[in-house]
């Protein structure tokens, strides 16, 4: 889509950068919110994107799991299945200590 509608994609990217920028809510917490919405929306690509960003920001497994617990509470069984995908993505993307 970047090639076909570059102005739209530039606008979307600018909005994302502004929305996720550090402010009164930390960038880490904003990414946790974004992940929760991605899970609730059942967006596979969103899960991978936001888990990767969360790892870069230093999310702990505990922070991730508490966020996923809230998602499951609010979204029920279907959300639980997508929360499991977020855990799988976290485990796969987390750098392995050697």
């Amino acid at each position: 889509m970047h090639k076909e509608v570059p102005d739209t994609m530039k606008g979307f990217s600018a909005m994302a950068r502004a929305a996720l920028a550090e402010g009164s809510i930390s960038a880490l917490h904003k990414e946790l919110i974004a992940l929760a919405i991605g899970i609730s929306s059942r967006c596979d690509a969103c899960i991978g994107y936001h888990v990767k960003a969360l790892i870069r920001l230093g999310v702990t497994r505990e922070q991730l799991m508490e966020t996923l617990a809230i998602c499951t509470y609010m979204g029920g069984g279907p959300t639980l299945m997508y929360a499991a995908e977020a855990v799988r993505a976290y485990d796969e993307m987390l750098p392995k200590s050697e």
Side-chain angles (χ1 to χ4, degrees), residues 6-71:
D7 291 340
T8 300
M9 297 309 296
K10 285 178 191 172
F12 184 81
S13 293
M15 181 177 59
R17 280 191 307 278
L20 293 169
E22 193 80 26
S24 60
I25 299 173
S26 72
L28 178 96
H29 287 98
K30 288 180 178 186
E31 283 291 348
L32 287 168
I33 292 166
L35 175 63
I37 293 169
I39 289 168
S40 298
S41 299
R42 297 172 175 82
C43 175
D44 291 323
C46 298
I47 292 169
Y49 182 87
H50 293 291
V51 166
K52 186 175 184 178
L54 282 162
I55 290 170
R56 181 180 45 79
L57 291 169
V59 72
T60 65
R61 187 175 189 87
E62 293 80 12
Q63 290 169 317
L64 179 73
M65 297 308 288
E66 286 185 24
T67 300
L68 300 178
I70 295 295
C71 288

